[in-house]
Amino acid sequence: MGADPNEIAVLGSVSDIFSAIASSLSFEKGKNKIVTTDMDFPTVGHVWLAQEKFGASVSFIPSHDGVIPIEYYERFVTSDTLFTSISYICYYNGFKQDIKAIAEIVHRKGSLLFVDAYQSAGQVPIDVKKMDIDILVAGIRKYMLGIPGMAFLYMKSKLAEQWKPRLQYKG
């Protein structure tokens, strides 16, 4: 993955990770937009929509004929976008996105990039540094041939030092 060991955390599920990340975000006026897509796994949209009560404004990039044209990111991600959440590979049709190109767009507009790699980890190469991914999540059950109940999170060190989730887990 190209990550340093101190940038990886192991948790029980991708849903737990999404919720922990969402609860870490601070939605300030002028930088409160979350952009996701209509091709993401359904629970992803639910997590982001639940942040509206904390001040988030959520928008969904629509797909077109089973793909998301790269120019849609230029249109939907704006200067008020705090967070862009996408899947590397779509769960229902296998559409693979150009993560590096999307990272260039969203970072130029001042957004962080969160990539759901559940459908891609173990199947296609991922290098979080070369692709300039801020946060990546994946489970090990599918293409990594692991057991249920294990997922991992990659997060750039500088983000991990800044964020404090509102969710608390007790072991």
Side-chain angles (χ1 to χ4, degrees):
M1 276 187 43
D4 296 327
N6 66 336
E7 295 175 312
I8 302 292
V10 177
L11 285 94
S13 75
V14 169
S15 293
D16 284 346
I17 295 171
F18 266 95
S19 295
I21 295 299
S23 77
S24 298
L25 298 174
S26 175
F27 305 104
E28 300 168 11
K29 205 158 189 74
K31 197 73 165 171
N32 66 335
K33 186 174 174 185
I34 295 175
V35 174
T36 190
T37 78
D38 70 359
M39 293 182 73
D40 286 303
F41 196 74
T43 56
V44 171
H46 293 287
V47 169
W48 299 133
L49 288 169
Q51 303 316 300
E52 290 181 328
K53 65 183 166 193
F54 300 109
S57 171
V58 181
S59 71
F60 290 82
I61 299 175
S63 56
H64 180 74
D65 293 330
V67 302
I68 300 171
I70 196 78
E71 59 270 13
Y72 283 19
Y73 287 95
E74 288 284 359
R75 185 179 335 149
F76 282 86
V77 178
T78 59
S79 62
D80 62 342
T81 304
L82 172 65
F83 212 69
T84 303
S85 172
I86 64 171
S87 293
Y88 188 178
I89 295 179
C90 178
Y91 77 99
Y92 69 85
N93 72 357
F95 168 62
K96 181 180 170 188
Q97 300 203 77
D98 184 343
I99 300 298
K100 186 163 178 53
I102 294 167
E104 290 172 9
I105 293 167
V106 303
H107 289 147
R108 179 172 24 89
K109 295 183 178 231
S111 175
L112 295 171
L113 179 62
F114 182 26
V115 176
D116 178 353
Y118 200 95
Q119 308 299 325
S120 51
Q123 176 184 209
V124 297
I126 299 170
D127 188 318
V128 293
K129 305 289 185 187
K130 288 181 182 174
M131 297 168 127
D132 200 13
I133 297 169
D134 297 300
I135 303 167
L136 179 135
V137 62
I140 66 167
R141 186 169 186 188
K142 282 204 150 192
Y143 301 108
M144 296 178 83
L145 306 176
I147 61 171
M150 292 196 69
F152 65 90
L153 164 70
Y154 156 78
M155 181 183 288
K156 286 183 178 176
S157 299
K158 66 179 182 178
L159 294 176
E161 294 165 5
Q162 296 170 0
W163 288 3
K164 302 292 181 231
R166 289 185 300 270
L167 295 176
Q168 298 295 319
Y169 296 98
K170 296 186 182 195

